Amino acid sequence: MITKIKNIDIFTNDGEFIENGCILFDESEFKEIGRDDSLSECDIEIDGNGKLLMPGFVNCHTHIYSTLSRGM
């Protein structure tokens, strides 16, 4: 099932900011990202007016000594 969110501000991983953008996605991946509502057909359409979409944050924080001192 393809879902479209339109009228949404999008901050991409490469630093691009798209105002009033549009995205298409399914259960596993993003299909299209665009600047207007001209993306492909969808099954569900959501109006994201006033919302911001940005990549999820990944915490890569680690302590090397913790790995090396296991079992001490």
Side-chain angles (χ1 to χ4, degrees):
M1 184 177 311
I2 304 292
T3 304
K4 178 192 286 187
I5 302 179
K6 63 180 187 174
N7 299 327
I8 191 166
D9 294 336
I10 303 168
F11 179 73
T12 65
N13 242 357
D14 58 0
E16 184 180 5
F17 184 73
I18 303 171
E19 290 187 67
N20 293 322
C22 190
I23 63 166
L24 281 178
F25 63 94
D26 65 10
E27 291 83 13
S28 62
E29 65 181 345
F30 288 106
K31 300 291 187 183
E32 295 181 49
I33 298 176
R35 294 194 177 277
D36 55 24
D37 198 23
S38 65
L39 298 181
S40 305
E41 293 297 316
C42 64
D43 301 313
I44 300 171
E45 188 170 289
I46 300 170
D47 186 5
N49 191 17
K51 305 294 186 220
L52 173 66
L53 176 74
M54 56 192 299
F57 295 111
V58 176
N59 183 0
C60 296
H61 180 91
T62 185
H63 295 268
I64 298 296
Y65 69 86
S66 296
T67 303
L68 299 175
S69 64
R70 226 175 255 182
M72 290 179 95

